[in-house]
PDB file of all heavy atoms in Angstrom:
ATOM      1  N   GLN A 630     114.926 -27.649  62.685  1.00 92.00           N
ATOM      2  CA  GLN A 630     115.101 -26.474  61.847  1.00 92.00           C
ATOM      3  C   GLN A 630     114.528 -26.901  60.245  1.00 92.00           C
ATOM      4  O   GLN A 630     115.251 -26.583  59.380  1.00 92.00           O
ATOM      5  CB  GLN A 630     116.539 -25.911  61.815  1.00 92.00           C
ATOM      6  CG  GLN A 630     116.857 -25.438  63.109  1.00 92.00           C
ATOM      7  CD  GLN A 630     118.349 -24.856  63.200  1.00 92.00           C
ATOM      8  OE1 GLN A 630     119.178 -25.122  62.283  1.00 92.00           O
ATOM      9  NE2 GLN A 630     118.591 -24.066  64.072  1.00 92.00           N
ATOM     10  N   GLY A 631     113.354 -27.484  60.333  1.00 93.00           N
ATOM     11  CA  GLY A 631     112.817 -27.853  59.156  1.00 93.00           C
ATOM     12  C   GLY A 631     113.221 -29.104  58.383  1.00 93.00           C
ATOM     13  O   GLY A 631     112.623 -29.570  57.450  1.00 93.00           O
ATOM     14  N   GLU A 632     114.262 -29.721  58.984  1.00 96.00           N
ATOM     15  CA  GLU A 632     114.674 -31.007  58.533  1.00 96.00           C
ATOM     16  C   GLU A 632     114.322 -32.229  59.394  1.00 96.00           C
ATOM     17  O   GLU A 632     114.431 -32.094  60.519  1.00 96.00           O
ATOM     18  CB  GLU A 632     116.135 -30.965  58.293  1.00 96.00           C
ATOM     19  CG  GLU A 632     116.693 -32.241  57.703  1.00 96.00           C
ATOM     20  CD  GLU A 632     118.240 -32.221  57.509  1.00 96.00           C
ATOM     21  OE1 GLU A 632     118.909 -31.214  57.884  1.00 96.00           O
ATOM     22  OE2 GLU A 632     118.919 -33.251  57.163  1.00 96.00           O
ATOM     23  N   GLN A 633     113.877 -33.371  58.846  1.00 98.00           N
ATOM     24  CA  GLN A 633     113.448 -34.445  59.496  1.00 98.00           C
ATOM     25  C   GLN A 633     114.852 -35.309  59.697  1.00 98.00           C
ATOM     26  O   GLN A 633     115.184 -36.075  58.901  1.00 98.00           O
ATOM     27  CB  GLN A 633     112.383 -35.388  58.823  1.00 98.00           C
ATOM     28  CG  GLN A 633     111.903 -36.464  59.671  1.00 98.00           C
ATOM     29  CD  GLN A 633     110.978 -35.963  60.873  1.00 98.00           C
ATOM     30  OE1 GLN A 633     110.290 -35.086  60.611  1.00 98.00           O
ATOM     31  NE2 GLN A 633     111.029 -36.702  61.916  1.00 98.00           N
ATOM     32  N   LEU A 634     115.433 -35.106  60.998  1.00 98.00           N
ATOM     33  CA  LEU A 634     116.782 -35.805  61.124  1.00 98.00           C
ATOM     34  C   LEU A 634     116.558 -37.225  61.597  1.00 98.00           C
ATOM     35  O   LEU A 634     117.452 -38.046  61.159  1.00 98.00           O
ATOM     36  CB  LEU A 634     117.399 -35.130  62.292  1.00 98.00           C
ATOM     37  CG  LEU A 634     117.820 -33.689  62.049  1.00 98.00           C
ATOM     38  CD1 LEU A 634     118.810 -33.187  63.154  1.00 98.00           C
ATOM     39  CD2 LEU A 634     118.586 -33.394  60.635  1.00 98.00           C
ATOM     40  N   LEU A 635     115.477 -37.636  62.092  1.00 98.00           N
ATOM     41  CA  LEU A 635     115.173 -38.942  62.623  1.00 98.00           C
ATOM     42  C   LEU A 635     114.015 -39.455  61.851  1.00 98.00           C
ATOM     43  O   LEU A 635     113.151 -38.660  61.408  1.00 98.00           O
ATOM     44  CB  LEU A 635     114.903 -38.971  64.112  1.00 98.00           C
ATOM     45  CG  LEU A 635     115.837 -38.372  65.021  1.00 98.00           C
ATOM     46  CD1 LEU A 635     115.346 -38.555  66.556  1.00 98.00           C
ATOM     47  CD2 LEU A 635     117.180 -38.857  64.826  1.00 98.00           C
ATOM     48  N   PRO A 636     114.042 -40.681  61.557  1.00 98.00           N
ATOM     49  CA  PRO A 636     113.000 -41.441  60.757  1.00 98.00           C
ATOM     50  C   PRO A 636     111.608 -40.969  61.316  1.00 98.00           C
ATOM     51  O   PRO A 636     111.545 -41.175  62.614  1.00 98.00           O
ATOM     52  CB  PRO A 636     113.200 -42.852  60.811  1.00 98.00           C
ATOM     53  CG  PRO A 636     114.781 -42.959  60.983  1.00 98.00           C
ATOM     54  CD  PRO A 636     115.097 -41.824  61.988  1.00 98.00           C
ATOM     55  N   PRO A 637     110.555 -40.795  60.590  1.00 98.00           N
ATOM     56  CA  PRO A 637     109.279 -40.544  61.100  1.00 98.00           C
ATOM     57  C   PRO A 637     108.771 -41.746  62.030  1.00 98.00           C
ATOM     58  O   PRO A 637     108.945 -42.915  61.568  1.00 98.00           O
ATOM     59  CB  PRO A 637     108.273 -40.469  59.936  1.00 98.00           C
ATOM     60  CG  PRO A 637     109.286 -39.960  58.773  1.00 98.00           C
ATOM     61  CD  PRO A 637     110.577 -40.713  59.132  1.00 98.00           C
ATOM     62  N   GLY A 638     108.269 -41.465  63.258  1.00 98.00           N
ATOM     63  CA  GLY A 638     107.839 -42.408  64.111  1.00 98.00           C
ATOM     64  C   GLY A 638     108.801 -43.010  65.085  1.00 98.00           C
ATOM     65  O   GLY A 638     108.427 -43.710  66.085  1.00 98.00           O
ATOM     66  N   TRP A 639     110.150 -42.601  64.856  1.00 98.00           N
ATOM     67  CA  TRP A 639     111.215 -43.246  65.776  1.00 98.00           C
ATOM     68  C   TRP A 639     111.111 -42.671  67.070  1.00 98.00           C
ATOM     69  O   TRP A 639     111.428 -43.432  68.151  1.00 98.00           O
ATOM     70  CB  TRP A 639     112.639 -43.164  65.018  1.00 98.00           C
ATOM     71  CG  TRP A 639     113.613 -43.808  65.901  1.00 98.00           C
ATOM     72  CD1 TRP A 639     114.762 -43.191  66.585  1.00 98.00           C
ATOM     73  CD2 TRP A 639     113.813 -45.298  66.095  1.00 98.00           C
ATOM     74  NE1 TRP A 639     115.543 -44.112  67.173  1.00 98.00           N
ATOM     75  CE2 TRP A 639     114.954 -45.386  66.792  1.00 98.00           C
ATOM     76  CE3 TRP A 639     113.083 -46.309  65.609  1.00 98.00           C
ATOM     77  CZ2 TRP A 639     115.397 -46.701  67.195  1.00 98.00           C
ATOM     78  CZ3 TRP A 639     113.562 -47.601  66.083  1.00 98.00           C
ATOM     79  CH2 TRP A 639     114.668 -47.765  66.766  1.00 98.00           C
ATOM     80  N   VAL A 640     110.969 -41.398  67.267  1.00 98.00           N
ATOM     81  CA  VAL A 640     110.930 -40.860  68.568  1.00 98.00           C
ATOM     82  C   VAL A 640     109.809 -41.461  69.423  1.00 98.00           C
ATOM     83  O   VAL A 640     109.940 -41.924  70.565  1.00 98.00           O
ATOM     84  CB  VAL A 640     110.733 -39.300  68.618  1.00 98.00           C
ATOM     85  CG1 VAL A 640     110.291 -38.817  70.000  1.00 98.00           C
ATOM     86  CG2 VAL A 640     111.920 -38.709  68.047  1.00 98.00           C
ATOM     87  N   GLN A 641     108.587 -41.626  68.738  1.00 98.00           N
ATOM     88  CA  GLN A 641     107.489 -42.237  69.425  1.00 98.00           C
ATOM     89  C   GLN A 641     107.875 -43.711  69.829  1.00 98.00           C
ATOM     90  O   GLN A 641     107.482 -44.148  70.890  1.00 98.00           O
ATOM     91  CB  GLN A 641     106.159 -42.271  68.488  1.00 98.00           C
ATOM     92  CG  GLN A 641     105.553 -40.888  68.249  1.00 98.00           C
ATOM     93  CD  GLN A 641     106.110 -40.290  66.767  1.00 98.00           C
ATOM     94  OE1 GLN A 641     107.367 -40.506  66.579  1.00 98.00           O
ATOM     95  NE2 GLN A 641     105.250 -39.803  66.033  1.00 98.00           N
ATOM     96  N   GLN A 642     108.652 -44.398  69.016  1.00 98.00           N
ATOM     97  CA  GLN A 642     109.084 -45.751  69.296  1.00 98.00           C
ATOM     98  C   GLN A 642     109.935 -45.969  70.472  1.00 98.00           C
ATOM     99  O   GLN A 642     109.738 -46.747  71.293  1.00 98.00           O
ATOM    100  CB  GLN A 642     109.528 -46.350  67.991  1.00 98.00           C
ATOM    101  CG  GLN A 642     109.482 -47.979  67.986  1.00 98.00           C
ATOM    102  CD  GLN A 642     109.765 -48.507  66.532  1.00 98.00           C
ATOM    103  OE1 GLN A 642     109.759 -47.737  65.638  1.00 98.00           O
ATOM    104  NE2 GLN A 642     109.889 -49.812  66.514  1.00 98.00           N
ATOM    105  N   MET A 643     110.945 -44.904  70.505  1.00 98.00           N
ATOM    106  CA  MET A 643     111.806 -44.891  71.483  1.00 98.00           C
ATOM    107  C   MET A 643     111.322 -44.618  72.821  1.00 98.00           C
ATOM    108  O   MET A 643     111.788 -45.054  73.865  1.00 98.00           O
ATOM    109  CB  MET A 643     112.985 -43.893  71.298  1.00 98.00           C
ATOM    110  CG  MET A 643     113.945 -44.063  70.110  1.00 98.00           C
ATOM    111  SD  MET A 643     115.336 -42.989  70.182  1.00 98.00           S
ATOM    112  CE  MET A 643     114.650 -41.349  70.033  1.00 98.00           C
ATOM    113  N   THR A 644     110.135 -43.712  72.788  1.00 98.00           N
ATOM    114  CA  THR A 644     109.706 -43.113  74.030  1.00 98.00           C
ATOM    115  C   THR A 644     108.332 -43.724  74.483  1.00 98.00           C
ATOM    116  O   THR A 644     107.554 -43.114  75.259  1.00 98.00           O
ATOM    117  CB  THR A 644     109.652 -41.602  74.069  1.00 98.00           C
ATOM    118  OG1 THR A 644     108.669 -41.230  72.948  1.00 98.00           O
ATOM    119  CG2 THR A 644     111.097 -41.092  73.830  1.00 98.00           C
ATOM    120  N   SER A 645     108.003 -44.742  73.804  1.00 98.00           N
ATOM    121  CA  SER A 645     106.755 -45.508  74.186  1.00 98.00           C
ATOM    122  C   SER A 645     107.015 -46.749  74.961  1.00 98.00           C
ATOM    123  O   SER A 645     108.255 -47.184  74.918  1.00 98.00           O
ATOM    124  CB  SER A 645     105.978 -46.091  72.857  1.00 98.00           C
ATOM    125  OG  SER A 645     105.498 -45.019  72.174  1.00 98.00           O
ATOM    126  N   ARG A 646     106.132 -47.267  75.736  1.00 98.00           N
ATOM    127  CA  ARG A 646     106.466 -48.518  76.637  1.00 98.00           C
ATOM    128  C   ARG A 646     106.760 -49.620  75.720  1.00 98.00           C
ATOM    129  O   ARG A 646     105.885 -50.150  75.107  1.00 98.00           O
ATOM    130  CB  ARG A 646     105.318 -48.757  77.590  1.00 98.00           C
ATOM    131  CG  ARG A 646     105.644 -49.791  78.563  1.00 98.00           C
ATOM    132  CD  ARG A 646     104.572 -50.032  79.555  1.00 98.00           C
ATOM    133  NE  ARG A 646     103.427 -50.768  78.890  1.00 98.00           N
ATOM    134  CZ  ARG A 646     102.250 -51.056  79.387  1.00 98.00           C
ATOM    135  NH1 ARG A 646     102.024 -50.776  80.826  1.00 98.00           N
ATOM    136  NH2 ARG A 646     101.327 -51.568  78.782  1.00 98.00           N
ATOM    137  N   GLN A 647     108.016 -50.169  75.839  1.00 98.00           N
ATOM    138  CA  GLN A 647     108.421 -51.410  75.209  1.00 98.00           C
ATOM    139  C   GLN A 647     108.627 -52.576  76.196  1.00 98.00           C
ATOM    140  O   GLN A 647     108.600 -53.661  75.940  1.00 98.00           O
ATOM    141  CB  GLN A 647     109.616 -51.144  74.434  1.00 98.00           C
ATOM    142  CG  GLN A 647     109.617 -50.020  73.362  1.00 98.00           C
ATOM    143  CD  GLN A 647     108.767 -50.373  72.256  1.00 98.00           C
ATOM    144  OE1 GLN A 647     108.223 -51.475  72.099  1.00 98.00           O
ATOM    145  NE2 GLN A 647     108.449 -49.324  71.442  1.00 98.00           N
ATOM    146  N   ALA A 648     108.731 -52.116  77.557  1.00 98.00           N
ATOM    147  CA  ALA A 648     109.034 -53.167  78.503  1.00 98.00           C
ATOM    148  C   ALA A 648     108.515 -52.664  79.874  1.00 98.00           C
ATOM    149  O   ALA A 648     108.458 -51.338  80.069  1.00 98.00           O
ATOM    150  CB  ALA A 648     110.449 -53.628  78.595  1.00 98.00           C
ATOM    151  N   THR A 649     108.206 -53.444  80.837  1.00 96.00           N
ATOM    152  CA  THR A 649     107.998 -53.099  82.192  1.00 96.00           C
ATOM    153  C   THR A 649     109.146 -53.473  83.070  1.00 96.00           C
ATOM    154  O   THR A 649     109.470 -54.682  82.970  1.00 96.00           O
ATOM    155  CB  THR A 649     106.634 -53.514  82.699  1.00 96.00           C
ATOM    156  OG1 THR A 649     105.577 -53.127  81.871  1.00 96.00           O
ATOM    157  CG2 THR A 649     106.377 -53.120  84.103  1.00 96.00           C
ATOM    158  N   SER A 650     109.603 -52.676  83.863  1.00 96.00           N
ATOM    159  CA  SER A 650     110.864 -53.096  84.899  1.00 96.00           C
ATOM    160  C   SER A 650     110.537 -52.742  86.160  1.00 96.00           C
ATOM    161  O   SER A 650     109.542 -51.869  86.582  1.00 96.00           O
ATOM    162  CB  SER A 650     111.981 -52.388  84.341  1.00 96.00           C
ATOM    163  OG  SER A 650     112.208 -51.069  84.942  1.00 96.00           O
ATOM    164  N   PRO A 651     111.337 -53.172  87.238  1.00 93.00           N
ATOM    165  CA  PRO A 651     111.023 -52.858  88.533  1.00 93.00           C
ATOM    166  C   PRO A 651     111.336 -51.378  88.802  1.00 93.00           C
ATOM    167  O   PRO A 651     110.827 -50.945  89.854  1.00 93.00           O
ATOM    168  CB  PRO A 651     112.192 -53.700  89.262  1.00 93.00           C
ATOM    169  CG  PRO A 651     112.617 -54.763  88.338  1.00 93.00           C
ATOM    170  CD  PRO A 651     112.398 -54.245  86.936  1.00 93.00           C
ATOM    171  N   ALA A 652     112.053 -50.746  87.990  1.00 94.00           N
ATOM    172  CA  ALA A 652     112.336 -49.280  88.170  1.00 94.00           C
ATOM    173  C   ALA A 652     111.352 -48.391  87.346  1.00 94.00           C
ATOM    174  O   ALA A 652     111.544 -47.192  87.389  1.00 94.00           O
ATOM    175  CB  ALA A 652     113.704 -48.929  87.770  1.00 94.00           C
ATOM    176  N   GLY A 653     110.356 -49.008  86.592  1.00 95.00           N
ATOM    177  CA  GLY A 653     109.433 -48.118  85.856  1.00 95.00           C
ATOM    178  C   GLY A 653     109.362 -48.704  84.420  1.00 95.00           C
ATOM    179  O   GLY A 653     110.148 -49.526  83.952  1.00 95.00           O
ATOM    180  N   ASP A 654     108.370 -48.064  83.769  1.00 98.00           N
ATOM    181  CA  ASP A 654     108.221 -48.535  82.287  1.00 98.00           C
ATOM    182  C   ASP A 654     109.459 -47.944  81.445  1.00 98.00           C
ATOM    183  O   ASP A 654     109.982 -46.918  81.819  1.00 98.00           O
ATOM    184  CB  ASP A 654     106.938 -47.945  81.784  1.00 98.00           C
ATOM    185  CG  ASP A 654     105.723 -48.611  82.311  1.00 98.00           C
ATOM    186  OD1 ASP A 654     105.831 -49.669  82.815  1.00 98.00           O
ATOM    187  OD2 ASP A 654     104.621 -47.994  82.272  1.00 98.00           O
ATOM    188  N   TYR A 655     109.737 -48.741  80.394  1.00 98.00           N
ATOM    189  CA  TYR A 655     110.918 -48.469  79.680  1.00 98.00           C
ATOM    190  C   TYR A 655     110.693 -48.536  78.171  1.00 98.00           C
ATOM    191  O   TYR A 655     109.857 -49.377  77.697  1.00 98.00           O
ATOM    192  CB  TYR A 655     111.905 -49.656  80.018  1.00 98.00           C
ATOM    193  CG  TYR A 655     113.405 -49.341  79.767  1.00 98.00           C
ATOM    194  CD1 TYR A 655     114.084 -48.308  80.545  1.00 98.00           C
ATOM    195  CD2 TYR A 655     114.102 -49.849  78.745  1.00 98.00           C
ATOM    196  CE1 TYR A 655     115.376 -48.063  80.349  1.00 98.00           C
ATOM    197  CE2 TYR A 655     115.490 -49.700  78.537  1.00 98.00           C
ATOM    198  CZ  TYR A 655     116.118 -48.724  79.197  1.00 98.00           C
ATOM    199  OH  TYR A 655     117.430 -48.495  79.064  1.00 98.00           O
ATOM    200  N   GLY A 656     111.311 -47.686  77.472  1.00 98.00           N
ATOM    201  CA  GLY A 656     111.120 -47.554  76.022  1.00 98.00           C
ATOM    202  C   GLY A 656     112.537 -48.169  75.370  1.00 98.00           C
ATOM    203  O   GLY A 656     113.013 -49.349  75.786  1.00 98.00           O
TER     204      GLY A 656
END
């Protein structure tokens, strides 16, 4: 609603591949 609640770039960081696991890629 017009307010940046999370730091810019944080959603991309959480939801980008940070690791590979037996059950799939993981953020």
